[in-house]
């Protein structure tokens, strides 16, 4: 089956700001896809193009087999969207808002709505203006989860939720996946993406930096290894191994990082000395992300110094 | 109240002043121009004491005018005429300015959550209220003084001139105090403003009853209203400065009460708890049309009531307008120039319906520009992400500027028809004539709506600006055109001068159809732009 979302070389500029600069994104049917990037990298812009709210300047976007701009109304019956910054109608209660959004989408499951309101501990009688940011977010999330959409587009949906509610949110996303729906989850919270997503696209300055399953992406980074050996390793052996970094040898204790594809070589070198204890930790998304982010920081730093030199 | 409650006042005052740097001067300029312009036109229209005496005779006998404008105290001087015509009116305008401005920088900010940013910084919890009150009271004081200077420059006595200026300003002060209290009471900016406007409406009404009643009636009602106090300073006719002192003391008391209430409530909430709504959406709440009806119905009802009363008041003056204007040939001329040919009464009613049309244009722009605020507030995005198309959403909003604007002049016309027809005895004819005269105004309103939608489609950031400028321009041409004797080439730019001057003339369909076509063309073009542009 073809992809739920297929974006190739998408471009969008706002005046002189280039928001999207040739973005590629593919979401497969039934997967939870993480869309990860720092603030201002173009996540919301991408979602708005996919929703037909913005018109792309170039590139291609196919959503549920249709054109997000031309077929907007028809496509929207099949998707649910939670904006990053939820504003509600001040005089409508939360319950009214959920029902309204559901009906405008073409119906919602009342039993599921009630169940979700209980799980998210939302008081549906409060007026829109009385909700905190987190509660506004809950209103939009319940409306989305209670719909029978094939695709959920969630833009940093947990930014106002407390840890308990974040957990409820994760369960809900997992349930959506089990029901066979596809989810595009934009986030800059790495733990969330790591816990929820099957595949990840990392966006940086409007371009796709990396894309793949978490396993694939981990190939690109290093695993941390700590070992206690039976005998101290002979000097000069570990240092010359391929892909090794941050090596610390203290007597029989070894600590290092290794490129994930060279892990096997390291392990066999260590076991030659007799392994007493070994811990290895796969790279977190955090580290993955930081690598791209550091490039940003570095270039921002050099731009800053260039500016001050002038 | 601790000293920290006042921290950050200078910074906030600067911030608020910056945000108001366009709006407040416009308010001040408009009020100054109306007071100065009125004094000036009285000076030219009623130059001789004899002409003023005739004019005064008419007004003195007409309670409807006292109800509308306030009690006249001395109509033999230019200053006295200006007080009667602009005193209560100016004070009411400044009260509106106070309510809007105080609300915008206190409750509305808190509601938007922006105050938490400020509050978490160095500013004390009372800082926004202090800062905005300082700005509003100071600005209005200065405006009052400038009004005084202008009147003195026009040759009026010094004491009365400054007393009039400050009495007008004091109307603003008191309602700054009222707004300072209402923003503490509810958790919602729009209801806080609504509450303050209700107090203003009541103050106006109570004063009107007092001023309109005869010597044996409840004239003391006037003293129940701050607008009545502002009137009772009696500039140029006794100069009762002590009443101004009363107004200042009242303002101080209101503000002190506001701070006491503010100290006892939580940030972000009001003294009155918010009423809960239903837990689920009613059967009817299932379309964008139903949604916009929910958002618009209160507003439409308010305008309908206002226009019904306004129409009735304007209509009730009609049959005394002839004697009122007396034999001042220039006034007769003026009205002839402004209106129809068959008698001063119809000319007056035609002008009244024209004013109704301009007022309805304000409603139309307000509701049309609402589309843009819905968009920028982020409430449009979730709607367009459902199976709602852009045009369907736009239609759900345009119902109000297009059809609401047709309903309102009909209501005003009915009010005028009942009031006038009831007095003159030909209810059926007057009702039909005045409803018709009201209804045809909508064609001009549609042109203004079309312009607003055109901006919304192609320059969305300028929607409100374009809409309000168009209305302001029409009002200016309508009000100043005859006084400045502008050439028809200029006044004809306003669509409102194209509307046939009914009642009293044969209404030809041609200009109405032309304006409808123009409005429709602008509207459709604007909608095409809206369909093609980015949202946000
Ligand atoms: N309507 C707009 N007008 C101008 N610039 C915009 C607009 N929307 C987004 N941008 C800019 O485009 C870039 C990407 O923004 P966005 O997509 O919101 O990023 P993210 O959601 O990843 O934080 C930012 O530099 C932002 O300032
Ligand atoms: Mg964003």
């Amino acid at each position: 089956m073809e992809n739920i979302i297929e974006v190739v070389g998408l471009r969008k500029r706002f005046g002189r700001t280039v928001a999207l600069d040739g973005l590629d994104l593919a979401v497969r049917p039934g997967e939870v896809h993480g869309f990860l990037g720092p603030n201002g990298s173009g996540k919301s812009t991408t979602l708005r193009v996919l929703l037909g709210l913005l018109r792309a300047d170039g590139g291609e976007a196919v959503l549920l087999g249709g054109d997000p701009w031309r077929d907007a109304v028809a496509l929207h019956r099949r998707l649910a969207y939670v904006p990053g910054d939820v504003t509600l109608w001040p005089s409508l209660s939360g319950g009214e808002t959920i029902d309204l959004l559901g009906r405008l989408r073409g119906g919602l499951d009342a039993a599921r709505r009630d169940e979700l309101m209980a799980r998210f501990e939302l008081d549906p009688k409060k007026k829109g203006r009385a909700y905190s940011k987190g509660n506004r977010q809950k209103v939009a999330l319940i409306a989305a989860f209670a719909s029978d959409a094939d695709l959920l587009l969630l833009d940093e949906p947990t930014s106002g939720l407390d840890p308990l509610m974040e957990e409820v949110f994760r369960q809900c996303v997992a349930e959506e996946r089990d029901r066979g729906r596809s989810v595009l989850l934009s986030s800059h919270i790495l733990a969330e993406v790591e816990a929820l997503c099957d595949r990840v696209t990392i966006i940086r300055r409007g371009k796709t930096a990396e894309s793949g399953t978490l396993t694939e992406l981990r190939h690109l980074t290093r695993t941390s290894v700590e070992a206690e050996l039976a005998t101290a390793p002979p000097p000069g052996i570990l240092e010359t191994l391929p892909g090794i970094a941050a090596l610390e040898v203290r007597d029989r204790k070894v600590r290092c990082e290794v490129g994930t594809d060279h892990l096997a070589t390291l392990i066999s070198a260590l076991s030659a000395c007799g392994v007493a204890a070994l811990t290895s930790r796969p790279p977190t998304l955090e580290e993955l992300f930081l690598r791209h982010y550091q490039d940003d920081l570095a270039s921002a730093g050099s731009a800053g110094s260039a500016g001050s030199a002038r | 109240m601790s000293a920290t409650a006042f921290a950050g006042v200078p910074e906030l005052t600067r911030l608020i002043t910056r945000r108001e740097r366009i709006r407040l001067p416009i308010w001040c300029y408009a009020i100054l121009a109306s007071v100065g312009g009125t004094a000036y036109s009285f000076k030219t229209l009623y130059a001789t004491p004899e002409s003023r005496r005739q004019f005064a005779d008419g007004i003195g006998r007409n309670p409807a005018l006292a109800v509308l404008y306030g009690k006249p105290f001395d109509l033999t001087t230019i200053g006295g005429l200006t007080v009667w015509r602009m005193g209560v009116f100016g004070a009411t305008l400044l009260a509106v300015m106070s309510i809007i401005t105080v609300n915008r920088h206190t409750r509305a900010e808190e509601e938007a959550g922006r105050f938490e940013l400020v509050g978490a910084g160095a500013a004390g919890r009372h800082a926004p209220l202090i800062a905005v009150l300082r700005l509003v009271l100071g600005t209005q004081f200065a405006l009052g003084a400038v009004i005084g200077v202008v009147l003195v420059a026009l040759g009026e006595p010094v004491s009365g001139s400054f007393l009039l200026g400050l009495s007008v300003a004091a109307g603003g002060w008191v309602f700054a105090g009222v707004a300072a209290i209402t923003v503490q009471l509810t958790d919602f900016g729009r209801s806080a403003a609504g509450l303050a406007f209700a107090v203003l409406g009541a103050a106006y009404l109570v004063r009107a009853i007092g001023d309109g009643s005869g010597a044996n009636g409840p004239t003391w009602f006037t003293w129940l209203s701050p607008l009545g106090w502002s009137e009772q300073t009696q500039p140029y006719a006794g100069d009762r400065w002590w009443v101004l002192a009363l107004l200042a003391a009242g303002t101080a008391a209101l503000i002190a009460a506001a701070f006491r209430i503010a100290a006892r409530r939580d940030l972000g909430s009001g003294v009155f708890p918010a009423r809960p709504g239903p837990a689920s959406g009613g059967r009817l709440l299932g379309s964008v049309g139903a949604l916009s009806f929910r958002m618009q119905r209160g507003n439409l009802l308010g305008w309908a009531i206002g226009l019904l009363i306004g129409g009735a008041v304007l209509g009730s003056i009609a049959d005394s307008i002839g004697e009122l204007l007396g034999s001042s040939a220039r006034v007769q001329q003026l009205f002839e120039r402004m209106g129809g040919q068959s008698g001063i009464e119809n000319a007056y009613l035609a002008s009244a319906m024209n004013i109704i049309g301009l007022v309805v244009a304000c409603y139309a722009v307000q509701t049309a520009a609402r589309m843009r605020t819905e968009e920028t507030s982020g409430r449009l995005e979730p709607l367009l992400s459902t199976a709602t198309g852009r045009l369907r959403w736009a239609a759900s909003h345009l119902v109000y500027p297009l059809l609401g604007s047709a309903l309102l002049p009909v209501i005003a016309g009915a009010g005028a028809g009942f009031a006038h027809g009831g007095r003159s005895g030909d209810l059926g004819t007057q009702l039909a004539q005045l409803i018709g005269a009201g209804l045809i105004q909508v064609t001009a309103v549609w042109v203004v709506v079309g312009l607003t939608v055109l901006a919304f489609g192609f320059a969305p950031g300028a929607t409100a600006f374009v809409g309000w400028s168009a209305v302001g321009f029409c009002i200016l041409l309508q009000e100043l055109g005859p006084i400045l004797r502008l050439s028809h080439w200029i006044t004809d730019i306003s669509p409102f001068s194209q509307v046939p001057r009914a009642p009293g003339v044969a209404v030809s369909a041609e200009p109405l159809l032309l304006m409808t076509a123009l409005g429709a063309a602008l509207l459709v073009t604007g909608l095409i732009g809206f369909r093609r542009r980015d949202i946000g």
Side-chain angles (χ1 to χ4, degrees), chain A residues 137-174:
Chain A
Q137 208 100 43
K138 287 185 201 170
V139 169
L141 282 171
I142 292 170
F145 286 137
S147 70
D148 54 358
D150 300 335
L151 169 66
L152 299 183
L153 298 175
L154 312 177
D155 193 358
E156 307 203 9
T158 57
S159 46
L161 300 184
D162 59 41
L164 239 93
M165 289 303 135
E166 238 176 276
E167 191 45 47
V168 176
F169 168 76
R170 286 182 194 188
Q171 288 165 9
C172 287
V173 171

Side-chain angles (χ1 to χ4, degrees), chain A residues 106-119:
Chain A
L108 88 174
D109 180 343
R112 177 133 172 92
R113 179 200 67 170
D114 294 342
E115 178 216 323
L116 285 164
M117 283 201 288
R119 282 168 71 184

Side-chain angles (χ1 to χ4, degrees), chain B residues 260-277:
Chain B
R260 295 194 78 156
I261 300 170
R264 285 174 30 192
R265 68 170 182 92
D266 294 331
L267 198 59
S269 66
V271 170
F272 300 151
R275 259 183 302 143

Side-chain angles (χ1 to χ4, degrees), chain A residues 182-193:
Chain A
S182 319
V183 180
L184 178 60
L185 171 70
S186 113
S187 179
H188 65 261
I189 303 168
L190 312 154
E192 183 173 283
V193 171

Side-chain angles (χ1 to χ4, degrees), chain A residues 246-296:
Chain A
L247 179 67
E248 271 178 56
V249 183
R250 219 176 262 161
D251 198 15
R252 291 183 295 124
K253 283 189 179 163
V254 175
R255 190 187 271 201
C256 67
E257 288 174 12
V258 63
T260 309
D261 21 2
H262 297 293
L263 190 59
T265 335
L266 173 69
I267 300 295
S268 60
L270 289 176
S271 50
C273 306
V275 176
L278 179 85
T279 53
S280 92
R281 196 169 48 79
T284 60
L285 206 46
E286 197 101 38
E287 287 157 335
L288 209 74
F289 190 57
L290 220 56
R291 225 184 70 200
H292 295 289
Y293 199 39
Q294 263 160 357
D295 293 353
D296 272 357

Side-chain angles (χ1 to χ4, degrees), chain A residues 10-264:
Chain A
L10 198 64
R11 285 171 201 288
K12 177 73 193 174
R13 46 193 315 155
F14 297 104
R16 294 175 58 193
T17 318
V18 178
L20 295 179
D21 189 14
L23 179 93
D24 302 324
L25 172 70
V27 177
R28 298 175 187 165
E31 76 175 4
V32 178
H33 194 103
F35 192 31
L36 200 58
N39 290 327
S41 54
K43 304 183 293 294
S44 299
T45 305
T46 308
L47 292 183
R48 288 194 178 115
V49 170
L50 289 174
L51 285 164
L53 297 169
L54 301 179
R55 189 173 218 163
D57 296 331
E60 254 185 79
V62 179
L63 176 83
L64 297 163
D67 179 329
W69 179 268
R70 235 189 24 244
D71 311 326
V73 172
L75 293 177
H76 291 175
R77 287 185 211 285
R78 298 172 53 196
L79 62 83
Y81 166 60
V82 175
D85 200 353
V86 180
T87 338
L88 300 177
W89 293 272
S91 55
L92 253 55
S93 72
E96 286 178 309
T97 308
I98 291 170
D99 286 353
L100 174 71
L101 288 174
R103 287 169 189 172
L104 290 180
R105 199 174 279 130
L108 88 174
D109 180 343
R112 177 133 172 92
R113 179 200 67 170
D114 294 342
E115 178 216 323
L116 285 164
M117 283 201 288
R119 282 168 71 184
F120 276 106
E121 296 172 12
L122 179 84
D123 174 3
K125 290 184 176 173
K126 268 196 183 177
K127 294 280 177 71
R129 57 180 187 259
Y131 285 119
S132 65
K133 174 166 168 50
N135 279 323
R136 293 200 301 268
Q137 208 100 43
K138 287 185 201 170
V139 169
L141 282 171
I142 292 170
F145 286 137
S147 70
D148 54 358
D150 300 335
L151 169 66
L152 299 183
L153 298 175
L154 312 177
D155 193 358
E156 307 203 9
T158 57
S159 46
L161 300 184
D162 59 41
L164 239 93
M165 289 303 135
E166 238 176 276
E167 191 45 47
V168 176
F169 168 76
R170 286 182 194 188
Q171 288 165 9
C172 287
V173 171
E175 286 163 23
E176 294 301 313
R177 186 203 347 236
D178 295 345
R179 294 202 284 174
R181 296 180 185 171
S182 319
V183 180
L184 178 60
L185 171 70
S186 113
S187 179
H188 65 261
I189 303 168
L190 312 154
E192 183 173 283
V193 171
E194 201 165 12
L196 286 173
C197 297
D198 307 308
R199 295 197 320 129
V200 181
T201 295
I202 297 179
I203 174 176
R204 209 178 102 236
R205 286 195 231 132
K207 274 200 192 76
T208 307
E210 306 280 356
S211 185
T213 63
L214 286 175
T215 329
E216 282 165 359
L217 293 189
R218 283 193 181 116
H219 273 287
L220 300 166
T221 80
R222 294 183 290 233
T223 303
S224 313
V225 176
E226 269 185 65
E228 202 174 325
L229 305 176
T231 58
I237 295 287
L238 295 179
E239 286 86 339
T240 55
L241 288 177
I244 202 144
L247 179 67
E248 271 178 56
V249 183
R250 219 176 262 161
D251 198 15
R252 291 183 295 124
K253 283 189 179 163
V254 175
R255 190 187 271 201
C256 67
E257 288 174 12
V258 63
T260 309
D261 21 2
H262 297 293
L263 190 59

